[in-house]
Amino acid sequence: MGLLAGIRIVALLEGLAGRLAVQLLADQGAGVLLVERPGSVRSPSDLVRLRRCRSLAADCGAAEGQALVSRLCADADVLLLEAGVDSAMRLRIPATELVEAYPRLVVCRITGYGDEGPLAGATVHDHLVASRTGLYNQPGWRPGPTFLTLPVPSTGAALLALQGIGSALYQRERTGRGQVVSTSLLAGSLANQPGIIWSDGQAVAGSPLARGPLGYMPLYRLYQCADGEWLHLGCLSAQFQQRAVHLFGIEAEVAALDARGLPVLERQQAMIDLVAAVIERQPFAVWSERFEQADIPYAKAQHTSDLLEDPQVLHQGLRITLDDPRVGPMDQMAGTVALSDEAWLPPAPAPQPGQHTDAVCAEAGLTAGEVAALRASGVLA
């Protein structure tokens, strides 16, 4: 059933953060109802993010659509609202008004920059928030920012939303009352940067070497092997560094470097050159075996496409195959949280937009005539 079985969530989503949040909630058994714009189209990622959900197609830009969402909240535990680039699906009923009308309801709002301040009404998009909040200008290997494809602000906001929803539901069990939970992509971005905020400027400045694309620490860095594969050497502590130097057979060369008293950046570069010259002589498989025998931390720099074949992923049961009616069998990641008292059940495929409109309207108490009238007016698809 899942730990969250019985928790009912109504979700109006326009971005990545809300989609990740509902995936994680539904994976734990929550019943998620998506209220979607009529004519919505699924992206490839939606087939994963929206699995196990139900879908109602309704025009929330219309007053009747707004009223329908309010009606659905009467039986919901959580209303999740995420405003994206397109504001057509925004619920214009104030969150505080909904909580007053339905005292046990938790309303979680995900915005771009919050409700107040000079950016409160700015266009919301993950990469715009990432750029504005310094993610592209964290310690890098060349002058200027570096575009990141990973949606860091949205991922952070999704996790903050889950934390807020869980806390509010727990508090409701004690007080009997819901409340409004608010977070933003801005907060999600900042939540992922405490180390960067603290350390930016602490590294040796003024040289690309200090912030190299492969890492600037000689024994904690990416190196290319003889077969073209890349490995990440992970020796942070002195113990592992000594083992690596011994395994590479460069003790004399390292001692000579130390004796020369080189400036920090010159010594780093010289040390990197030493290690690179050794690693490039053998293929990854040879280094993997040697590092395992010597208990030296390392990792292969895999492509994302390799991840579902990773032995650890397979051993942990983190890969599943889901038979989607649109695309056929799909390999996906399984639920990422294990519970000792709950078995994780394989999810149902993501719904077609509007797939459950009739059933949801009937559950909400709408008559066949009311549903027909809403369809005739274009509010329901």
Side-chain angles (χ1 to χ4, degrees):
M1 293 291 290
L3 196 66
L4 297 181
I7 296 296
R8 293 159 297 186
I9 297 172
V10 176
L12 280 70
L13 311 177
E14 292 189 345
L16 301 172
R19 282 165 162 74
L20 175 56
V22 299
Q23 178 196 339
L24 298 175
L25 289 164
D27 275 351
Q28 294 299 326
V32 178
L33 171 63
L34 308 169
V35 180
E36 303 188 88
R37 184 185 301 105
S40 295
V41 178
R42 292 278 178 262
S43 69
S45 66
D46 284 344
L47 301 182
V48 179
R49 297 295 187 214
L50 304 182
R51 63 194 190 190
R52 210 197 291 265
C53 297
R54 304 169 79 201
S55 174
L56 166 77
D59 178 10
C60 288
E64 298 90 340
Q66 300 270 319
L68 177 57
V69 173
S70 178
R71 190 166 179 171
L72 294 171
C73 289
D75 295 320
D77 297 286
V78 178
L79 173 64
L80 176 58
L81 303 173
E82 179 187 27
V85 175
D86 184 350
S87 62
M89 291 294 289
R90 286 182 180 170
L91 191 65
R92 293 190 293 275
I93 306 171
T96 52
E97 183 177 314
L98 284 169
V99 172
E100 285 300 316
Y102 310 113
R104 289 182 57 80
L105 181 68
V106 171
V107 180
C108 180
R109 302 172 59 259
I110 302 175
T111 64
Y113 298 98
D115 295 315
E116 299 178 355
L119 296 178
T123 299
V124 180
H125 197 285
D126 185 273
H127 294 110
L128 299 182
V129 176
S131 185
R132 187 181 290 272
T133 56
L135 282 173
Y136 293 172
N137 275 308
Q138 59 182 285
W141 60 276
R142 59 166 175 75
T146 302
F147 181 84
L148 301 177
T149 57
L150 295 176
V152 176
S154 292
T155 301
L159 298 178
L160 293 175
L162 292 180
Q163 179 189 24
I165 289 171
S167 298
L169 288 175
Y170 177 74
Q171 180 73 355
R172 189 186 71 175
E173 292 304 301
R174 302 165 68 182
T175 66
R177 292 191 59 84
Q179 59 185 293
V180 179
V181 174
S182 297
T183 189
S184 65
L185 271 65
L186 173 65
S189 178
L190 294 176
N192 280 283
Q193 298 190 71
I196 296 169
I197 292 171
W198 173 83
S199 64
D200 190 31
Q202 302 295 320
V204 180
S207 169
L209 175 62
R211 300 176 173 185
L214 305 178
Y216 64 89
M217 298 174 64
L219 295 174
Y220 194 84
R221 187 180 188 273
L222 287 157
Y223 289 97
Q224 192 168 30
C225 305
D227 56 355
E229 297 286 358
W230 290 83
L231 67 82
H232 194 296
L233 190 59
C235 302
L236 277 176
S237 70
Q239 175 188 15
F240 289 127
Q241 291 171 3
Q242 291 167 3
R243 290 183 192 176
V245 168
H246 176 72
L247 178 66
F248 295 147
I250 57 174
E251 293 102 323
E253 290 87 343
V254 172
L257 281 178
D258 293 339
R260 292 170 60 186
L262 296 172
V264 172
L265 293 181
E266 289 186 34
R267 185 193 182 282
Q268 281 184 205
Q269 184 61 69
M271 185 71 177
I272 287 170
D273 292 342
L274 274 175
V275 176
V278 174
I279 291 180
E280 68 183 6
R281 296 172 193 163
Q282 300 291 344
F284 175 81
V286 170
W287 288 120
S288 177
E289 181 179 359
R290 292 181 180 179
F291 291 155
E292 291 286 349
Q293 292 174 350
D295 190 23
I296 293 173
Y298 75 100
K300 183 179 182 181
Q302 299 190 115
H303 293 281
T304 305
S305 57
D306 300 328
L307 187 57
L308 291 178
E309 301 294 336
D310 186 278
Q312 188 67 19
V313 169
L314 297 176
H315 183 83
Q316 292 286 325
L318 292 176
R319 184 177 103 175
I320 60 171
T321 300
L322 192 63
D323 192 9
D324 189 278
R326 287 144 292 198
V327 300
M330 289 181 63
D331 287 332
Q332 299 184 11
M333 297 299 289
T336 52
V337 177
L339 300 168
S340 62
D341 294 339
E342 293 285 338
W344 188 80
L345 300 177
Q352 296 276 19
Q355 178 178 334
H356 305 96
T357 297
D358 288 337
V360 170
C361 287
E363 292 165 7
L366 275 72
T367 66
E370 289 174 318
V371 173
L374 289 172
R375 276 213 168 89
S377 67
V379 173
L380 293 180

PDB file of all heavy atoms in Angstrom, residues 326-343:
ATOM      1  N   ARG A 326       1.817   3.971 -24.097  1.00  0.00           N
ATOM      2  CA  ARG A 326       2.182   4.798 -25.243  1.00  0.00           C
ATOM      3  C   ARG A 326       3.490   4.386 -25.885  1.00  0.00           C
ATOM      4  O   ARG A 326       3.636   4.409 -27.096  1.00  0.00           O
ATOM      5  CB  ARG A 326       2.284   6.272 -24.809  1.00  0.00           C
ATOM      6  CG  ARG A 326       0.949   6.923 -24.553  1.00  0.00           C
ATOM      7  CD  ARG A 326       1.003   7.904 -23.404  1.00  0.00           C
ATOM      8  NE  ARG A 326       1.216   7.213 -22.137  1.00  0.00           N
ATOM      9  CZ  ARG A 326       0.975   7.726 -20.956  1.00  0.00           C
ATOM     10  NH1 ARG A 326       0.533   8.953 -20.873  1.00  0.00           N
ATOM     11  NH2 ARG A 326       1.179   7.043 -19.863  1.00  0.00           N
ATOM     12  N   VAL A 327       4.459   3.997 -25.070  1.00  0.00           N
ATOM     13  CA  VAL A 327       5.801   3.737 -25.611  1.00  0.00           C
ATOM     14  C   VAL A 327       6.256   2.308 -25.384  1.00  0.00           C
ATOM     15  O   VAL A 327       7.342   1.936 -25.827  1.00  0.00           O
ATOM     16  CB  VAL A 327       6.824   4.707 -24.989  1.00  0.00           C
ATOM     17  CG1 VAL A 327       6.457   6.148 -25.304  1.00  0.00           C
ATOM     18  CG2 VAL A 327       6.933   4.509 -23.480  1.00  0.00           C
ATOM     19  N   GLY A 328       5.469   1.505 -24.689  1.00  0.00           N
ATOM     20  CA  GLY A 328       5.868   0.133 -24.422  1.00  0.00           C
ATOM     21  C   GLY A 328       6.729   0.029 -23.177  1.00  0.00           C
ATOM     22  O   GLY A 328       6.728   0.928 -22.327  1.00  0.00           O
ATOM     23  N   PRO A 329       7.494  -1.055 -23.039  1.00  0.00           N
ATOM     24  CA  PRO A 329       8.319  -1.244 -21.844  1.00  0.00           C
ATOM     25  C   PRO A 329       9.345  -0.112 -21.685  1.00  0.00           C
ATOM     26  O   PRO A 329      10.037   0.252 -22.626  1.00  0.00           O
ATOM     27  CB  PRO A 329       9.012  -2.588 -22.088  1.00  0.00           C
ATOM     28  CG  PRO A 329       8.135  -3.280 -23.078  1.00  0.00           C
ATOM     29  CD  PRO A 329       7.571  -2.203 -23.953  1.00  0.00           C
ATOM     30  N   MET A 330       9.414   0.447 -20.493  1.00  0.00           N
ATOM     31  CA  MET A 330      10.353   1.529 -20.179  1.00  0.00           C
ATOM     32  C   MET A 330      11.180   1.142 -18.963  1.00  0.00           C
ATOM     33  O   MET A 330      10.633   0.706 -17.950  1.00  0.00           O
ATOM     34  CB  MET A 330       9.606   2.825 -19.831  1.00  0.00           C
ATOM     35  CG  MET A 330       8.907   3.538 -20.943  1.00  0.00           C
ATOM     36  SD  MET A 330       8.145   5.055 -20.272  1.00  0.00           S
ATOM     37  CE  MET A 330       9.602   5.971 -19.743  1.00  0.00           C
ATOM     38  N   ASP A 331      12.493   1.296 -19.060  1.00  0.00           N
ATOM     39  CA  ASP A 331      13.348   1.141 -17.889  1.00  0.00           C
ATOM     40  C   ASP A 331      13.334   2.448 -17.109  1.00  0.00           C
ATOM     41  O   ASP A 331      13.580   3.519 -17.671  1.00  0.00           O
ATOM     42  CB  ASP A 331      14.779   0.790 -18.295  1.00  0.00           C
ATOM     43  CG  ASP A 331      14.896  -0.639 -18.788  1.00  0.00           C
ATOM     44  OD1 ASP A 331      14.089  -1.484 -18.351  1.00  0.00           O
ATOM     45  OD2 ASP A 331      15.778  -0.920 -19.614  1.00  0.00           O
ATOM     46  N   GLN A 332      13.033   2.359 -15.820  1.00  0.00           N
ATOM     47  CA  GLN A 332      12.977   3.527 -14.959  1.00  0.00           C
ATOM     48  C   GLN A 332      13.668   3.219 -13.640  1.00  0.00           C
ATOM     49  O   GLN A 332      13.907   2.061 -13.306  1.00  0.00           O
ATOM     50  CB  GLN A 332      11.523   3.927 -14.670  1.00  0.00           C
ATOM     51  CG  GLN A 332      10.703   4.287 -15.878  1.00  0.00           C
ATOM     52  CD  GLN A 332       9.307   4.758 -15.484  1.00  0.00           C
ATOM     53  OE1 GLN A 332       9.016   5.015 -14.317  1.00  0.00           O
ATOM     54  NE2 GLN A 332       8.432   4.883 -16.475  1.00  0.00           N
ATOM     55  N   MET A 333      13.972   4.292 -12.915  1.00  0.00           N
ATOM     56  CA  MET A 333      14.456   4.112 -11.559  1.00  0.00           C
ATOM     57  C   MET A 333      13.288   3.774 -10.649  1.00  0.00           C
ATOM     58  O   MET A 333      12.193   4.308 -10.801  1.00  0.00           O
ATOM     59  CB  MET A 333      15.141   5.380 -11.052  1.00  0.00           C
ATOM     60  CG  MET A 333      16.380   5.767 -11.826  1.00  0.00           C
ATOM     61  SD  MET A 333      17.670   4.517 -11.767  1.00  0.00           S
ATOM     62  CE  MET A 333      18.211   4.657 -10.061  1.00  0.00           C
ATOM     63  N   ALA A 334      13.525   2.874  -9.708  1.00  0.00           N
ATOM     64  CA  ALA A 334      12.503   2.512  -8.738  1.00  0.00           C
ATOM     65  C   ALA A 334      12.422   3.588  -7.654  1.00  0.00           C
ATOM     66  O   ALA A 334      13.111   4.609  -7.713  1.00  0.00           O
ATOM     67  CB  ALA A 334      12.818   1.152  -8.123  1.00  0.00           C
ATOM     68  N   GLY A 335      11.577   3.348  -6.659  1.00  0.00           N
ATOM     69  CA  GLY A 335      11.511   4.268  -5.529  1.00  0.00           C
ATOM     70  C   GLY A 335      12.846   4.329  -4.820  1.00  0.00           C
ATOM     71  O   GLY A 335      13.538   3.326  -4.667  1.00  0.00           O
ATOM     72  N   THR A 336      13.232   5.503  -4.404  1.00  0.00           N
ATOM     73  CA  THR A 336      14.577   5.699  -3.866  1.00  0.00           C
ATOM     74  C   THR A 336      14.633   5.679  -2.341  1.00  0.00           C
ATOM     75  O   THR A 336      15.695   5.877  -1.772  1.00  0.00           O
ATOM     76  CB  THR A 336      15.150   7.034  -4.366  1.00  0.00           C
ATOM     77  OG1 THR A 336      14.213   8.074  -4.086  1.00  0.00           O
ATOM     78  CG2 THR A 336      15.387   6.977  -5.868  1.00  0.00           C
ATOM     79  N   VAL A 337      13.496   5.466  -1.677  1.00  0.00           N
ATOM     80  CA  VAL A 337      13.478   5.399  -0.218  1.00  0.00           C
ATOM     81  C   VAL A 337      12.977   4.018   0.189  1.00  0.00           C
ATOM     82  O   VAL A 337      11.904   3.599  -0.237  1.00  0.00           O
ATOM     83  CB  VAL A 337      12.566   6.484   0.393  1.00  0.00           C
ATOM     84  CG1 VAL A 337      12.512   6.344   1.908  1.00  0.00           C
ATOM     85  CG2 VAL A 337      13.077   7.866   0.009  1.00  0.00           C
ATOM     86  N   ALA A 338      13.761   3.318   1.001  1.00  0.00           N
ATOM     87  CA  ALA A 338      13.365   1.989   1.475  1.00  0.00           C
ATOM     88  C   ALA A 338      12.821   2.095   2.889  1.00  0.00           C
ATOM     89  O   ALA A 338      13.396   2.790   3.731  1.00  0.00           O
ATOM     90  CB  ALA A 338      14.564   1.042   1.445  1.00  0.00           C
ATOM     91  N   LEU A 339      11.721   1.429   3.145  1.00  0.00           N
ATOM     92  CA  LEU A 339      11.091   1.426   4.462  1.00  0.00           C
ATOM     93  C   LEU A 339      11.070   0.003   4.991  1.00  0.00           C
ATOM     94  O   LEU A 339      10.691  -0.928   4.277  1.00  0.00           O
ATOM     95  CB  LEU A 339       9.667   1.970   4.371  1.00  0.00           C
ATOM     96  CG  LEU A 339       9.543   3.412   3.858  1.00  0.00           C
ATOM     97  CD1 LEU A 339       8.106   3.741   3.542  1.00  0.00           C
ATOM     98  CD2 LEU A 339      10.109   4.380   4.885  1.00  0.00           C
ATOM     99  N   SER A 340      11.444  -0.172   6.243  1.00  0.00           N
ATOM    100  CA  SER A 340      11.574  -1.525   6.788  1.00  0.00           C
ATOM    101  C   SER A 340      10.237  -2.237   6.899  1.00  0.00           C
ATOM    102  O   SER A 340      10.168  -3.463   6.796  1.00  0.00           O
ATOM    103  CB  SER A 340      12.241  -1.469   8.175  1.00  0.00           C
ATOM    104  OG  SER A 340      11.446  -0.724   9.084  1.00  0.00           O
ATOM    105  N   ASP A 341       9.146  -1.490   7.093  1.00  0.00           N
ATOM    106  CA  ASP A 341       7.845  -2.112   7.295  1.00  0.00           C
ATOM    107  C   ASP A 341       6.916  -1.999   6.100  1.00  0.00           C
ATOM    108  O   ASP A 341       5.748  -2.361   6.183  1.00  0.00           O
ATOM    109  CB  ASP A 341       7.147  -1.489   8.514  1.00  0.00           C
ATOM    110  CG  ASP A 341       7.876  -1.791   9.817  1.00  0.00           C
ATOM    111  OD1 ASP A 341       8.643  -2.762   9.837  1.00  0.00           O
ATOM    112  OD2 ASP A 341       7.678  -1.052  10.792  1.00  0.00           O
ATOM    113  N   GLU A 342       7.412  -1.468   5.009  1.00  0.00           N
ATOM    114  CA  GLU A 342       6.558  -1.287   3.840  1.00  0.00           C
ATOM    115  C   GLU A 342       7.287  -1.765   2.591  1.00  0.00           C
ATOM    116  O   GLU A 342       8.405  -1.343   2.315  1.00  0.00           O
ATOM    117  CB  GLU A 342       6.186   0.197   3.654  1.00  0.00           C
ATOM    118  CG  GLU A 342       5.291   0.757   4.734  1.00  0.00           C
ATOM    119  CD  GLU A 342       3.857   0.280   4.588  1.00  0.00           C
ATOM    120  OE1 GLU A 342       3.461  -0.126   3.479  1.00  0.00           O
ATOM    121  OE2 GLU A 342       3.127   0.301   5.602  1.00  0.00           O
ATOM    122  N   ALA A 343       6.652  -2.632   1.828  1.00  0.00           N
ATOM    123  CA  ALA A 343       7.212  -3.059   0.544  1.00  0.00           C
ATOM    124  C   ALA A 343       6.876  -2.011  -0.509  1.00  0.00           C
ATOM    125  O   ALA A 343       5.749  -1.508  -0.569  1.00  0.00           O
ATOM    126  CB  ALA A 343       6.639  -4.416   0.144  1.00  0.00           C
TER     127      ALA A 343
END
